[in-house]
Amino acid sequence: MTALDGIWLARPERPGRGIPVAVKDLLDTAGLTTTYGSALFAEHVPAESAAAVRRLEASGYSVAGKTNLHEFAFGVSSQNAHFGTVPNPVAPGRLAGGSSGGSAAAIAAGEVELALGSDSGGSIRIPAGWCGIVGFKPTYDLVPTDGCFPLAPSYDHVGPLASSVEGCEELLAALAPGFEPAQIESLEELAVGVAWTEHADPFVRRRVEAAAARFPRARRIEVPFPDPREWSLFAREIADVHRALFPEHADEYGETVRTKIEACFAVADGEVAEAERLRAEYREQAAEALAGLDLLVTPTLAMVAPPDDVDERDIRKAVTRFTYPFDVLGWPALALPCGTAEDGLPASVQLVSTAGEDARVLAAGRLLASLVRGTAAA
């Protein structure tokens, strides 16, 4: 056993010739085992790669290997009952986060500089935050999800993780033809709203507010959270994905994932209809809150990485509080390290804008990163 056990689930026999990219084992890779984090697919070898993987390979990248994840991407911890818990290389004994935990850990361990993940409730940004790296959830449908095992299809996003914002921009250019990085000369160009820091732990709040203060035109604003009942739509989509598989194979699911899927099956049609209405309403509320602003700044997470023996079900709602809203909305969101917080562990600031403003978010993140890099410990 080594400190890196639990990160990789499959590696190609020979390294590819392109720039290596770790790929979350939720995305199909032709000729290379793809488990979706499930024992049911332990021997599954796809004939064709996911669309996002094909785009990367066509742009000169190669698959460095498949990374461990939360089973079927349904969890925030990457505690996998079948393949082990993903370790956090920068915080031993703490969670790496999920569900793209292995992709973030591979970067944090220095094994690769670039990785591919997916995000439906925060699954790129959560592990990026806890592992002290950069993760970007693009605008919904900017990057194709074909060949990525779905969690909740209208919430699912595929996107990059990297050791730098520039790395995310480079991968996004390959993943989304037509995307071009933007240039921002000064953060003073941006009208910025700051929200939700009061809900974060004290040192996390301090770090995020210090990062927000780098924007000369930042001001506090009120941004609503989705109505909790909106989650019924997310749950119904998960149930639909597993409707054919789960009834006959429930015992082969990990216990924590099994109980969550059972809860998804219990959602009634009336709850789903109400959730659809609430989602549409939330989109209007969020657009109104950001009217006249270029960017929103929030914490990525309220807390630093918790111990790796915590029950994921107990922390799920708190962990996704700041990330899930932007999967509901489909807006681009960047998780960026912003110094150390409680227990000397990484804190992360989240930069967000409205749909289609991916280049602006990344450009702002690139400039902000150059200013907050090397921030002293709390």
Side-chain angles (χ1 to χ4, degrees):
M1 295 283 287
T2 72
L4 299 180
D5 286 342
I7 292 179
W8 300 100
L9 294 184
R11 303 292 291 266
E13 290 185 9
R14 300 183 190 83
R17 294 184 178 180
I19 301 167
V21 178
V23 176
K24 183 179 185 177
D25 204 31
L26 199 68
L27 290 105
D28 288 342
T29 43
L32 188 61
T33 305
T34 301
T35 70
Y36 314 132
S38 166
L40 291 167
F41 293 93
E43 305 300 325
H44 172 56
V45 180
E48 184 178 35
S49 293
V53 174
R54 296 198 306 271
R55 287 186 176 183
L56 289 182
E57 290 176 332
S59 297
Y61 297 91
S62 65
V63 176
K66 305 302 291 296
T67 54
N68 198 3
L69 67 153
H70 209 106
E71 183 180 3
F72 288 122
F74 194 12
V76 302
S77 68
S78 293
Q79 295 161 310
N80 190 299
H82 313 294
F83 304 115
T85 297
V86 175
N88 187 329
V90 301
R94 302 292 185 119
L95 291 176
S99 61
S100 306
S103 290
I107 294 169
E111 302 232 316
V112 293
E113 293 188 0
L114 304 168
L116 193 59
S118 69
D119 191 312
S120 306
S123 290
I124 286 172
R125 291 160 289 155
I126 293 165
W130 282 346
C131 289
I133 66 160
V134 181
F136 182 64
K137 182 196 78 64
T139 294
Y140 180 75
D141 209 28
L142 179 64
V143 178
T145 57
D146 302 355
C148 181
F149 195 96
L151 178 60
S154 76
Y155 298 78
D156 293 349
H157 305 68
V158 170
L161 302 93
S163 57
S164 67
V165 178
E166 289 87 349
C168 284
E169 289 179 309
E170 291 167 12
L171 278 190
L172 191 60
L175 293 166
F179 169 80
E180 293 185 5
Q183 295 298 324
I184 294 175
E185 297 300 324
S186 168
L187 295 182
E188 193 169 359
E189 297 176 26
L190 302 172
V192 175
V194 182
W196 302 345
T197 60
E198 69 275 18
H199 301 298
D201 287 351
F203 286 163
V204 171
R205 176 177 185 172
R206 183 183 301 177
R207 289 301 179 212
V208 172
E209 290 183 347
R214 299 284 188 172
F215 293 91
R217 297 169 58 199
R219 60 182 175 87
R220 299 286 309 189
I221 64 169
E222 294 295 323
V223 179
F225 292 101
D227 188 299
R229 294 171 293 171
E230 187 277 337
W231 184 83
S232 293
L233 178 58
F234 185 83
R236 171 57 60 84
E237 292 190 12
I238 293 172
D240 287 344
V241 167
H242 290 270
R243 202 169 297 281
L245 188 66
F246 186 77
E248 292 187 15
H249 299 280
D251 290 344
E252 295 169 82
Y253 283 66
E255 192 261 339
T256 61
V257 172
R258 181 172 62 249
T259 59
K260 288 185 290 186
I261 290 180
E262 287 169 347
C264 292
F265 276 104
V267 172
D269 290 347
E271 294 175 289
V272 175
E274 176 69 357
E276 290 174 334
R277 183 190 68 78
L278 289 169
R279 187 182 197 183
E281 184 178 277
Y282 183 61
R283 286 171 167 165
E284 294 177 0
Q285 293 169 343
E288 182 178 347
L290 263 69
L293 296 174
D294 298 307
L295 204 67
L296 172 66
V297 175
T298 78
T300 304
L301 298 148
M303 74 294 287
V304 298
D308 61 12
D309 61 354
V310 69
D311 189 324
E312 187 263 353
R313 294 168 294 186
D314 294 338
I315 64 171
R316 180 175 177 80
K317 288 184 179 179
V319 171
T320 60
R321 188 175 190 187
F322 304 148
T323 55
Y324 177 69
F326 305 111
D327 293 287
V328 174
L329 296 167
W331 291 1
L334 176 73
L336 183 71
C338 61
T340 53
E342 279 74 9
D343 300 320
L345 298 179
S348 179
V349 62
Q350 182 171 227
L351 308 185
V352 181
S353 193
T354 51
E357 297 297 340
D358 302 72
R360 176 193 294 163
V361 171
L362 287 161
R366 187 184 344 114
L367 188 51
L368 178 62
S370 70
L371 298 175
V372 303
R373 192 176 293 122
T375 300

